[in-house]
Amino acid sequence: MAISLTPRPTVAGSRIVSLGAARGDLTVPNDDLVEPINSSDEWIRQRTGIITRRRASAEVGVADMAQQAADEAISGAGLQPGDIDAILCATITFPYQQPSMAAHLAGRLGLGDVIAYDISAACAGFCYGIGQADGLIRSGSARNVLVIGAEKLSDFVSPTDRSISFLLGDGAGAAVVSASDEPRIGPTVWGSDGSHWDAVRMTGSSIDFREGRIPWPTLEQDGRTVFRWAVWHSAEKIREMLEQSGLTPEDVDVFVPHQANMRIVDELVNQLKLPEDVVVARDIAETGNTSAASVPLALHRLVAEGQASSGDVAVLFGFGGGLAYAGQIVILP
Ligand SMILES: CC(C)(COP(=O)(O)OP(=O)(O)OC[C@H]1O[C@@H](n2cnc3c(N)ncnc32)[C@H](O)[C@@H]1OP(=O)(O)O)[C@@H](O)C(=O)NCCC(=O)NCCS
């Protein structure tokens, strides 16, 4: 006789309950970076919209910022660490190949016996995490999931690299995602284009670890390739997201794309024909590009400044190295 296995009871949906944020403690203006790359404050402002970026002091690690953001999100949700069932960390800068930053933080935060793993999807990582959290909750594997996007990119910056270093900042953003009878996280639209897998890369990432010692890796990119892909591809995928959630651009209150370049943000607003009253995240001007931390940091700022409020329809979308992308429409807590 065929044996059938008892499935876990499933849950109708999930919602973001709270957010947390930590930015690097140092404010670094363009002028501090331009000399070794033969650039200027004016060029960086015009081509990227960045005025300053936040970076962390030498003694502050990526996990320290992640912990700070996580503490805020857990207490904002009115939960105790023991109430968390899963921790997902999106990062490319935890300086250990193994074990994961998620396991490290589970210990530091006192979460107990939890599902814990990292997500390596670069700037799309936080939105991958929200998609995973939604899936874990719907399938009955977890009721409260802590999603963190955290990067200390300045650890992987070459001051003489002209392609990306001046864009990068440090920080961490976190969200608690919980079970909800009413779905407040729409379908995640996610994927990747591996034909450009090395368009954003750590130098040395093409060297096999088994070949022995490799130099300390630093980030570099083919800026124009990423720029073109980010604009055309993201606009198409965000339209798909709206369609899958049964919404139109007129329904959107808040737009939080990955903070890679202000010109990309502007171009996306343009392509999507978002109405003028949509609040658009422009955190890049003061924080820089913080990869996996960028979407939650930008969203946290809008909420903290009162530009986004409870019940607003927010479009979250991350894209970058991989080239990976992910996004979802959420109703704000
Ligand atoms: C990196 C980026 C800012 C470069 O801007 P760009 O407008 O594409 O610049 P280009 O590479 O086309 O170069 C234009 C000119 O600026 C110069 N230039 C390039 N980098 C420069 C720098 N850092 N400072 C000063 N000049 C620079 C080039 O030499 C070129 O000069 P030329 O016209 O005399 O030949 C932009 O491509 C970008 O933001 N890309 C995507 C970022 C991204 O999403 N990254 C993914 C990780 S999240």
Side-chain angles (χ1 to χ4, degrees):
M1 197 178 79
I3 293 175
S4 68
L5 302 175
T6 309
R8 280 206 183 92
T10 55
V11 171
S14 72
R15 64 192 176 106
I16 294 179
V17 189
S18 59
L19 299 167
R23 288 179 171 77
D25 53 312
L26 308 172
T27 297
V28 181
N30 295 332
D31 277 337
D32 284 11
L33 307 177
V34 294
E35 204 191 308
I37 55 172
N38 186 23
S39 189
S40 66
D41 175 45
E42 193 194 356
W43 190 93
I44 296 175
R45 282 180 193 235
Q46 277 181 3
R47 306 296 270 206
T48 72
I50 297 173
I51 300 164
T52 56
R53 75 278 299 129
R54 297 289 287 270
R55 288 188 175 172
S57 306
E59 64 275 13
V60 178
V62 61
D64 299 323
M65 292 184 283
Q67 181 170 5
Q68 194 187 324
D71 280 336
E72 184 188 341
I74 294 171
S75 63
L79 297 176
Q80 298 299 317
D83 298 325
I84 300 293
D85 306 307
I87 173 169
L88 313 182
C89 286
T91 185
I92 55 166
T93 50
F94 188 56
Y96 302 92
Q97 176 73 8
Q98 207 283 130
S100 66
M101 185 162 86
H104 174 70
L105 282 172
R108 278 173 68 161
L109 292 163
L111 303 186
D113 179 356
V114 290
I115 299 165
Y117 58 91
D118 286 359
I119 298 170
S120 178
C123 312
F126 180 80
C127 293
Y128 261 77
I130 296 291
Q132 292 258 288
D134 183 52
L136 287 171
I137 289 168
R138 283 173 186 271
S139 66
S141 293
R143 284 194 70 79
N144 299 308
V145 183
L146 177 61
V147 181
I148 302 172
E151 306 287 7
K152 190 177 181 192
L153 292 159
S154 61
D155 275 350
F156 298 90
V157 152
S158 160
T160 57
D161 172 83
R162 267 188 131 204
S163 73
I164 195 167
S165 295
F166 58 97
L167 297 174
L168 304 175
D170 301 335
V176 169
V177 180
S178 295
S180 171
D181 295 335
E182 186 93 344
R184 287 175 171 261
I185 295 179
T188 296
V189 169
W190 42 4
S192 61
D193 176 1
S195 67
H196 293 301
W197 80 283
D198 60 352
V200 188
R201 57 197 170 267
M202 294 273 190
T203 53
S205 58
S206 58
I207 302 172
D208 192 310
F209 280 130
R210 290 165 297 188
E211 286 173 21
R213 235 181 119 73
I214 58 167
W216 184 253
T218 55
L219 278 157
E220 59 183 24
Q221 69 166 343
D222 304 325
R224 283 188 208 187
T225 305
V226 181
F227 195 102
R228 275 197 299 268
W229 174 83
V231 171
W232 296 109
H233 198 78
S234 304
E236 191 186 313
K237 294 296 163 186
I238 294 167
R239 277 188 215 105
E240 219 173 287
M241 254 160 63
L242 286 165
E243 207 179 295
Q244 287 189 20
S245 291
L247 301 177
T248 67
E250 281 65 39
D251 298 311
V252 176
D253 298 307
V254 182
F255 181 47
V256 191
H258 170 46
Q259 304 290 293
N261 184 322
M262 197 72 87
R263 284 158 55 216
I264 297 179
V265 174
D266 289 337
E267 197 48 48
L268 286 175
V269 170
N270 204 15
Q271 300 246 344
L272 293 164
K273 299 188 173 54
L274 292 179
E276 268 179 24
D277 60 352
V278 171
V279 173
V280 178
R282 298 186 183 283
D283 189 36
I284 186 166
E286 289 171 27
T287 304
N289 176 348
T290 54
S291 192
S294 113
V295 167
L297 280 178
L299 178 60
H300 186 278
R301 178 189 285 266
L302 293 180
V303 173
E305 290 178 351
Q307 295 191 65
S309 23
S310 179
D312 280 354
V313 173
V315 174
L316 313 183
F317 194 81
F319 55 83
L323 294 170
Y325 65 88
Q328 51 278 120
I329 292 168
V330 303
I331 299 175
L332 295 182

mmCIF file of all heavy atoms in Angstrom, residues 27-36:
data_model
loop_
_atom_site.group_PDB
_atom_site.id
_atom_site.type_symbol
_atom_site.label_atom_id
_atom_site.label_comp_id
_atom_site.label_asym_id
_atom_site.label_seq_id
_atom_site.Cartn_x
_atom_site.Cartn_y
_atom_site.Cartn_z
ATOM 1 N N THR A 27 30.589 59.392 7.842
ATOM 2 C CA THR A 27 30.041 60.008 6.634
ATOM 3 C C THR A 27 31.217 60.363 5.737
ATOM 4 O O THR A 27 32.099 61.137 6.135
ATOM 5 C CB THR A 27 29.240 61.273 7.005
ATOM 6 O OG1 THR A 27 28.146 60.868 7.827
ATOM 7 C CG2 THR A 27 28.695 61.978 5.773
ATOM 8 N N VAL A 28 31.243 59.774 4.534
ATOM 9 C CA VAL A 28 32.403 59.953 3.652
ATOM 10 C C VAL A 28 31.986 60.748 2.409
ATOM 11 O O VAL A 28 31.238 60.243 1.559
ATOM 12 C CB VAL A 28 32.981 58.575 3.223
ATOM 13 C CG1 VAL A 28 34.188 58.750 2.323
ATOM 14 C CG2 VAL A 28 33.321 57.734 4.444
ATOM 15 N N PRO A 29 32.436 62.006 2.289
ATOM 16 C CA PRO A 29 32.070 62.799 1.104
ATOM 17 C C PRO A 29 32.872 62.380 -0.132
ATOM 18 O O PRO A 29 33.934 61.751 -0.008
ATOM 19 C CB PRO A 29 32.423 64.230 1.527
ATOM 20 C CG PRO A 29 33.467 64.089 2.577
ATOM 21 C CD PRO A 29 33.266 62.761 3.247
ATOM 22 N N ASN A 30 32.364 62.746 -1.298
ATOM 23 C CA ASN A 30 33.038 62.393 -2.553
ATOM 24 C C ASN A 30 34.492 62.850 -2.575
ATOM 25 O O ASN A 30 35.380 62.130 -3.057
ATOM 26 C CB ASN A 30 32.296 63.017 -3.747
ATOM 27 C CG ASN A 30 30.908 62.432 -3.911
ATOM 28 O OD1 ASN A 30 30.672 61.289 -3.537
ATOM 29 N ND2 ASN A 30 29.998 63.210 -4.471
ATOM 30 N N ASP A 31 34.720 64.059 -2.047
ATOM 31 C CA ASP A 31 36.075 64.626 -2.111
ATOM 32 C C ASP A 31 37.132 63.738 -1.447
ATOM 33 O O ASP A 31 38.304 63.798 -1.795
ATOM 34 C CB ASP A 31 36.093 66.026 -1.474
ATOM 35 C CG ASP A 31 35.626 67.076 -2.483
ATOM 36 O OD1 ASP A 31 35.721 66.807 -3.697
ATOM 37 O OD2 ASP A 31 35.143 68.145 -2.051
ATOM 38 N N ASP A 32 36.696 62.918 -0.486
ATOM 39 C CA ASP A 32 37.658 62.034 0.196
ATOM 40 C C ASP A 32 38.125 60.884 -0.702
ATOM 41 O O ASP A 32 39.085 60.196 -0.365
ATOM 42 C CB ASP A 32 37.022 61.409 1.453
ATOM 43 C CG ASP A 32 36.928 62.410 2.599
ATOM 44 O OD1 ASP A 32 37.154 63.605 2.345
ATOM 45 O OD2 ASP A 32 36.622 61.983 3.727
ATOM 46 N N LEU A 33 37.412 60.643 -1.822
ATOM 47 C CA LEU A 33 37.694 59.444 -2.621
ATOM 48 C C LEU A 33 38.232 59.731 -4.020
ATOM 49 O O LEU A 33 38.696 58.827 -4.715
ATOM 50 C CB LEU A 33 36.404 58.608 -2.782
ATOM 51 C CG LEU A 33 35.654 58.228 -1.508
ATOM 52 C CD1 LEU A 33 34.374 57.473 -1.865
ATOM 53 C CD2 LEU A 33 36.519 57.361 -0.601
ATOM 54 N N VAL A 34 38.137 61.001 -4.453
ATOM 55 C CA VAL A 34 38.328 61.277 -5.889
ATOM 56 C C VAL A 34 39.785 61.205 -6.373
ATOM 57 O O VAL A 34 40.036 60.842 -7.525
ATOM 58 C CB VAL A 34 37.710 62.635 -6.296
ATOM 59 C CG1 VAL A 34 36.204 62.586 -6.148
ATOM 60 C CG2 VAL A 34 38.300 63.783 -5.494
ATOM 61 N N GLU A 35 40.721 61.528 -5.504
ATOM 62 C CA GLU A 35 42.104 61.643 -5.987
ATOM 63 C C GLU A 35 42.655 60.362 -6.636
ATOM 64 O O GLU A 35 43.085 60.388 -7.783
ATOM 65 C CB GLU A 35 43.015 62.139 -4.868
ATOM 66 C CG GLU A 35 44.250 62.827 -5.426
ATOM 67 C CD GLU A 35 45.280 63.081 -4.345
ATOM 68 O OE1 GLU A 35 44.914 63.670 -3.320
ATOM 69 O OE2 GLU A 35 46.447 62.662 -4.550
ATOM 70 N N PRO A 36 42.595 59.219 -5.945
ATOM 71 C CA PRO A 36 43.185 58.007 -6.554
ATOM 72 C C PRO A 36 42.448 57.513 -7.801
ATOM 73 O O PRO A 36 42.970 56.677 -8.537
ATOM 74 C CB PRO A 36 43.109 56.950 -5.439
ATOM 75 C CG PRO A 36 42.539 57.599 -4.242
ATOM 76 C CD PRO A 36 42.078 58.962 -4.596
#
